[in-house]
Amino acid sequence: MRVVFLGSGVFAVPSLEALIDGGHEVAALVTQPDREKGRGRALAATPTKVVAERRGIRVLQPRRIKDAQAVEELRALHPEVQVVVAYGQILPRSVIDIPPLGTVNVHSSLLPRYRGAAPIHWAVVNGEAETGVTTMMIDEGLDTGPTLLRRATPIGPEETAPELEARLSRIGADVLLETLEGLARHALTLTPQDHARATLAPILKKEDGRIDWSRPAEEIARRVRGLLPWPGTATASSGGELKVLRARAEPPEPHRDLPGTIALVDRDGIVVAAGAGSRLRLIEVQPESRRPMPAAAFAAGARLRAGDRLV
């Protein structure tokens, strides 16, 4: 099948490679323009562009996909189907309607749950038992199009957002191939979404990562796992901003410490009082302007003791 692939992020890479390896004719990759990155502000290609150039696939990088020139370039490719995976721009109707078989999106949730920009992160933060991948036909709404195929997978009790994203990207590639095969045989049924059951996964903001010690420890631990790598979770100690990279809820043990109070420092980390009488163990942290380190090492260097507060 002749395919135009629109994708930018690392989540899209397995799907792009699956199309190439699966014998589909990838007429072009459409991806975001190169962006400045790092302290040197050198231009960096998107993960999909790196793959496309290595595999000899034509690359298009329009600044705005809705511009007339970009639309005409896509039409000139005469795709049978377009595939969108973590592209990063909203498609106008003029682009959506180009291919005769439609424009398929690989979305990292079990639609209609977690529509939006950050479905993987919010599924972990909210303590979902499972998530998955859904293929759908794109319309002009926010992940509102009719669905094609879906595949569910459990979320591990200690799984982080990056770990889950890597698994879902591989699942998504498999479901995409099944979807295109079904479309080629006209064997798939479009299923309208139940909009009454929809939930949203809004774009992440830096303030989402601020730890509220009045919340239960398990909830904070999920936020630590779910908000990696950005915005991350952070609190403040006497030494300044402190990012929490790994943490887990401790077994329940009655205490009267105020939330944020350090209850214990030992060789395995820092135990902090949280809401509802719970306690959170910090395992790995990153002090401001320093490298990640074991929480116990940070506590020793900062001379933290039981009774000190994190805020």
Side-chain angles (χ1 to χ4, degrees):
M1 189 178 294
R2 185 171 172 84
V3 181
V4 167
F5 189 93
L6 297 93
S8 302
V10 66
F11 182 82
V13 168
S15 288
L16 175 59
E17 292 186 317
L19 290 177
I20 299 169
D21 295 338
H24 292 278
E25 180 188 359
V26 180
L29 164 71
V30 182
T31 189
Q32 294 279 59
D34 295 357
R35 306 289 189 196
E36 291 183 348
K37 190 174 182 181
R39 293 184 178 179
R41 312 308 295 169
L43 287 177
T46 65
T48 50
K49 180 181 178 180
V50 172
V51 172
E53 290 184 333
R54 187 175 70 241
R55 304 294 291 268
I57 303 297
R58 180 182 177 185
V59 176
L60 303 176
Q61 295 180 276
R63 293 198 173 275
R64 300 199 310 168
I65 192 67
K66 65 181 181 181
D67 287 349
Q69 181 179 348
V71 175
E72 287 307 310
E73 281 187 298
L74 290 176
R75 285 200 181 110
L77 293 170
H78 302 291
E80 295 174 83
V81 66
Q82 291 176 149
V83 172
V84 181
V85 189
Y87 173 47
Q89 294 190 42
I90 297 174
L91 304 189
R93 176 58 64 182
S94 57
V95 170
I96 293 170
D97 289 344
I98 288 174
L101 291 180
T103 299
V104 175
N105 175 237
V106 179
H107 186 76
S108 52
S109 81
L110 299 174
L111 291 172
R113 293 183 60 79
Y114 293 104
R115 294 173 176 173
I120 296 172
H121 299 81
W122 288 115
V124 175
V125 168
N126 292 337
E128 298 290 350
E130 70 171 9
T131 186
V133 170
T134 305
T135 52
M136 70 170 184
M137 284 294 186
I138 283 186
D139 62 15
E140 291 178 286
L142 178 65
D143 302 325
T144 56
T147 63
L148 294 159
L149 296 177
R150 68 204 309 260
R151 185 174 300 170
T153 184
I155 299 176
E158 298 298 324
E159 196 165 24
T160 66
E163 291 166 346
L164 181 57
E165 180 180 34
R167 284 206 302 116
L168 289 178
S169 69
R170 296 189 293 270
I171 293 171
D174 292 340
V175 176
L176 173 61
L177 293 181
E178 293 177 26
T179 299
L180 295 190
E181 180 184 352
L183 287 175
R185 295 187 291 108
H186 302 282
L188 296 182
T189 300
L190 293 175
T191 303
Q193 294 187 43
D194 181 355
H195 301 305
R197 295 179 53 243
T199 62
L200 296 180
I203 191 167
L204 297 170
K205 305 182 294 297
K206 186 174 183 179
E207 53 265 33
D208 292 323
R210 174 58 55 181
I211 293 177
D212 178 357
W213 291 107
S214 70
R215 307 305 301 172
E218 182 53 50
E219 182 180 318
I220 299 173
R222 292 199 308 264
R223 193 163 285 260
V224 171
R225 296 195 302 272
L227 297 185
L228 289 172
W230 193 91
T233 47
T235 186
S237 71
S238 57
E241 187 87 344
L242 182 68
K243 291 183 179 179
V244 179
L245 304 181
R246 285 197 300 141
R248 68 168 182 266
E250 289 285 273
E253 183 175 313
H255 68 80
R256 295 183 179 180
D257 293 330
L258 290 174
T261 301
I262 294 175
L264 175 68
V265 176
D266 61 21
R267 64 182 183 181
D268 296 321
I270 305 168
V271 178
V272 185
S278 61
R279 301 193 307 170
L280 183 76
R281 178 176 290 277
L282 310 187
I283 301 169
E284 184 179 15
V285 299
Q286 183 175 7
E288 196 168 359
S289 302
R290 296 172 65 184
R291 294 182 178 181
M293 65 177 64
F298 167 74
R303 298 184 179 179
L304 293 182
R305 299 289 185 268
D308 292 342
R309 292 287 303 280
L310 301 179
V311 295

